[in-house]
Amino acid sequence: MKKILLALIVITSIVSCSTQEVKTTHNYPSSASGYTLDSTANTDLVKSSAIALAKNDTAGYRKTYSSDVVFHDNNDSANLTQNMAGIKAIFDKGIVMKLDGIGAMWETVYNKPNEKGIVSYVNSYQGFTFTKGSKSIKVIFSVVDAIKDGKQVEEWLFYDKSGIAELMK
């Protein structure tokens, strides 16, 4: 009897541990406007842009954006040329940028394109350290990038500019 009981326990554990195909379906509510993904070609594009920026790789940085991109830097708007001039001014002041890391990052894909034909937006939190001489400041950027045809076409940046302004003096 003990052998039968032991055999049943072993068989039960083998069956319960065996891999089974799990079928999942996504039943999004009819009111859902889209979905999110945590790793895509578009999140990789935004990462490569941040890495190029930190290395002062202007060609690599510029290539991630469309030629008619619009930047919304806190309350200011700029085109690609104006954005690049602002970045150049930072490096010209002897400020070194280091990408500390990218925290949360995800892509939201909407079911219907907006008036500009955009369905994909990458949201990220990017941490940078700005250093000039012996002074360093850490800045967290909240970034939203509209992506279309493999390029960043619009970008919203939200961050505290005060420390960067101090280093620029």
Side-chain angles (χ1 to χ4, degrees):
M1 185 71 164
K2 287 183 183 180
K3 289 182 181 181
I4 293 173
L5 184 58
L6 181 61
L8 285 174
I9 292 172
V10 170
I11 291 170
T12 303
S13 67
I14 291 171
V15 170
S16 67
C17 293
S18 67
T19 58
Q20 297 177 4
E21 183 178 335
V22 178
K23 295 183 181 184
T24 59
T25 58
H26 299 286
N27 295 318
Y28 299 112
S30 60
S31 61
S33 59
Y35 55 92
T36 61
L37 303 164
D38 61 0
S39 181
T40 67
N42 289 337
T43 59
D44 290 345
L45 176 72
V46 172
K47 285 178 192 172
S48 68
S49 176
I51 291 167
L53 173 63
K55 294 190 308 189
N56 196 15
D57 175 5
T58 56
Y61 178 76
R62 185 182 288 267
K63 123 177 141 173
T64 66
Y65 292 94
S66 69
S67 60
D68 59 348
V69 63
V70 177
F71 294 89
H72 305 281
D73 188 339
N74 288 322
N75 290 325
D76 299 324
S77 292
N79 62 30
L80 184 57
T81 302
Q82 294 164 328
N83 177 263
M84 295 298 295
I87 293 167
K88 183 179 181 319
I90 290 172
F91 285 108
D92 286 352
K93 287 286 186 174
I95 297 172
V96 175
M97 292 175 64
K98 177 183 170 254
L99 177 62
D100 298 321
I102 298 176
M105 175 180 264
W106 67 94
E107 178 178 358
T108 301
V109 180
Y110 290 95
N111 296 332
K112 296 179 185 171
N114 69 7
E115 65 281 352
K116 296 177 183 177
I118 300 167
V119 296
S120 296
Y121 293 83
V122 173
N123 298 269
S124 62
Y125 294 95
Q126 302 176 15
F128 284 86
T129 298
F130 293 79
T131 303
K132 181 177 180 184
S134 62
K135 292 183 182 180
S136 289
I137 58 143
K138 292 187 179 286
V139 180
I140 302 296
F141 291 80
S142 174
V143 184
V144 179
D145 286 287
I147 313 288
K148 186 175 178 186
D149 300 326
K151 297 285 185 177
Q152 295 162 276
V153 296
E154 196 161 4
E155 183 170 85
W156 294 265
L157 299 144
F158 304 97
Y159 61 101
D160 181 357
K161 288 183 173 186
S162 61
I164 299 169
E166 278 297 312
L167 289 177
M168 293 287 287
K169 291 181 181 179

